[in-house]
Amino acid sequence: MRKLILSLFLVGLICAVPPVHASQGNALGFGDAAIKIDWFRFTDNGLADMDLENGVYVGLEVYYVIGCISPNLYFGAEIGWAGTSTSVDPYSLDLNVDYVPVEFNLKYVFDITPCVKFDLGAGISANWFGFEADFGNVSYSSDDWLFGGQFFADVNYRLAPNWFVGANIKYQITQDIELDGVNTHTSADNFRLGAQVGYTF
């Protein structure tokens, strides 16, 4: 984990030439919005045993500065979708998972250079987990809402006064999944690593 965060930080520093000067006052303006595409991995062994651990995540985040506390402290929300599926041979059993996290986060942005910004953050979330199994003409589906929390880090590089690109890493912890009222003793804990493109305003 430490090596990944350090690598992302070094990539941001290498991209810091030539510098693009940020707007005065706030590290990422009065607010920012970004679209993310991440590699997504469920970390609980229960989903790994079914070969459902790896997937893709697409998300949208929006943040606003909390200027009365600090010009570099931001509050925001993120919503996204992650999906993963597998087929179990020779039984023709298809398994599908849809995961929709709804997050509320605080992040603090550090000015590394005029165009490189590094932030650390954490928050709480409500997460929808949907499970579906198809076996020939027989199908089963169930879902659950899970309370969770997450912590994350981002490195962003300002391409122009209002546009930026970056890399992100996140770990999220959730409650155990209940399907049709039965506790599976399996959580939806997950790890994300990917990139984003965004706009400051």
Side-chain angles (χ1 to χ4, degrees):
M1 180 73 76
R2 287 182 290 180
K3 289 182 179 178
L4 282 173
I5 294 173
L6 180 60
S7 298
L8 293 174
F9 178 73
L10 291 176
V11 168
L13 287 180
I14 291 169
C15 293
V17 179
V20 178
H21 292 285
S23 59
Q24 296 296 320
N26 307 106
L28 285 174
F30 294 107
D32 67 271
I35 296 173
K36 295 181 171 181
I37 299 178
D38 293 353
W39 169 62
F40 182 95
R41 181 178 178 85
F42 287 114
T43 58
D44 193 288
N45 289 334
L47 292 171
D49 290 344
M50 293 187 289
D51 198 25
L52 285 169
E53 67 269 39
N54 294 311
V56 63
Y57 171 82
V58 179
L60 172 66
E61 66 176 23
V62 178
Y63 281 89
Y64 289 93
V65 69
I66 308 177
C68 61
I69 299 175
S70 169
N72 288 357
L73 183 64
Y74 291 77
F75 173 77
E78 180 176 339
I79 186 169
W81 169 86
T84 180
S85 62
T86 190
S87 295
V88 181
D89 293 323
Y91 307 106
S92 299
L93 174 63
D94 295 321
L95 304 175
N96 297 283
V97 167
D98 290 295
Y99 185 73
V100 178
V102 180
E103 303 175 3
F104 299 93
N105 296 313
L106 282 172
K107 69 178 181 180
Y108 190 88
V109 183
F110 299 88
D111 286 300
I112 305 302
T113 73
C115 67
V116 176
K117 315 297 176 182
F118 174 73
D119 66 71
L120 294 171
I124 60 172
S125 56
N127 311 281
W128 182 81
F129 181 92
F131 178 81
E132 183 177 341
D134 291 307
F135 182 70
N137 295 326
V138 179
S139 63
Y140 167 81
S141 63
S142 186
D143 60 77
D144 191 17
W145 279 96
L146 313 171
F147 178 77
Q150 58 279 335
F151 52 93
F152 57 91
D154 301 284
V155 174
N156 291 307
Y157 172 65
R158 297 180 73 100
L159 295 173
N162 295 100
W163 290 96
F164 64 89
V165 294
N168 65 81
I169 185 171
K170 180 177 286 184
Y171 193 79
Q172 186 177 60
I173 300 168
T174 76
Q175 295 174 302
D176 284 351
I177 302 162
E178 291 189 5
L179 299 178
D180 291 329
V182 178
N183 190 330
T184 64
H185 302 289
T186 298
S187 72
D189 294 359
N190 62 84
F191 171 81
R192 305 174 215 169
L193 177 66
Q196 68 264 1
V197 58
Y199 185 84
T200 63
F201 43 87

